[in-house]
Amino acid sequence: DYTMGVVGEYFLELGYNVAFEQKLESLKKEYIDFNWRHPFTNPDKLYFGRKIEKIPRIDILAWKENEIIGIEVKTNKSISKAYEQISIYKKAVEIDKLYLAVPDLPISTQNTISKAKKLCEIADVELLLVDLNHHKVNFRNSAKQTSLFDFI
């Protein structure tokens, strides 16, 4: 949550509007769950289908004028889930640019950063390294370096 806050505040300072945990409607999937049981039925004999909507939520959406940026934030414990989520978010028509943000912490988590760099290279998205000590964000792409001034 703190990493999300630093990234959100950073984009606010750049003049973006920021929203957290936003649903991406273009990725909505509907399915029927047949394992659902009505509370007043005999659970051994009668099953009802229930329509369920699954709408992925991205950690941060930042937008300004005609540009919408999606940012997925991961920690060293959740980095393994990032590739699947990013692959899904890349299909969202709402997002113009997509980033993966990870905390840039001491050497103990350098393994996380190297995994994140490799993942960004494979998924073709940029990496945001979040310096929690100095409360700032550094843009980094393993294929090419993007300076903050080029980004703005």
Side-chain angles (χ1 to χ4, degrees), residues 1-140:
D1 288 347
Y2 184 69
T3 304
M4 285 176 56
V6 171
V7 173
E9 185 176 55
Y10 180 78
F11 278 94
L12 282 171
E13 289 173 1
L14 291 176
Y16 284 82
N17 298 295
V18 175
F20 297 93
E21 295 292 334
Q22 291 299 297
K23 292 181 178 180
L24 301 171
E25 291 286 335
S26 67
L27 300 176
K28 177 168 59 172
K29 291 184 179 179
E30 295 180 356
Y31 62 96
I32 304 293
D33 179 14
F34 286 104
N35 293 320
W36 181 74
R37 294 182 181 131
H38 192 279
F40 299 115
T41 62
N42 182 340
D44 297 331
K45 298 187 180 194
L46 191 56
Y47 291 87
F48 288 88
R50 179 173 67 167
K51 182 178 158 185
I52 295 176
E53 290 182 344
K54 183 177 181 183
I55 305 174
R57 291 183 312 180
I58 193 159
D59 289 331
I60 301 172
L61 275 182
W63 68 96
K64 177 168 65 170
E65 297 165 7
N66 293 332
E67 179 183 46
I68 300 175
I69 298 172
I71 305 158
E72 184 62 21
V73 179
K74 293 295 177 200
T75 64
N76 59 340
K77 294 180 181 177
S78 64
I79 193 74
S80 60
K81 300 175 186 174
Y83 184 75
E84 182 181 338
Q85 288 179 290
I86 287 174
S87 297
I88 292 169
Y89 298 150
K90 284 187 79 169
K91 298 173 189 170
V93 296
E94 298 94 333
I95 298 174
D96 299 313
K97 292 181 184 175
L98 183 59
Y99 297 98
L100 172 64
V102 295
D104 190 2
L105 296 170
I107 302 228
S108 62
T109 60
Q110 289 304 312
N111 188 29
T112 300
I113 293 173
S114 66
K115 284 181 186 177
K117 286 179 184 177
K118 189 176 286 189
L119 187 146
C120 287
E121 186 176 307
I122 293 168
D124 194 30
V125 297
E126 285 199 52
L127 178 63
L128 304 178
L129 293 177
V130 183
D131 184 341
L132 300 178
N133 293 328
H134 297 99
H135 208 74
K136 68 179 190 174
V137 176
N138 297 309
F139 291 82
R140 184 174 297 170

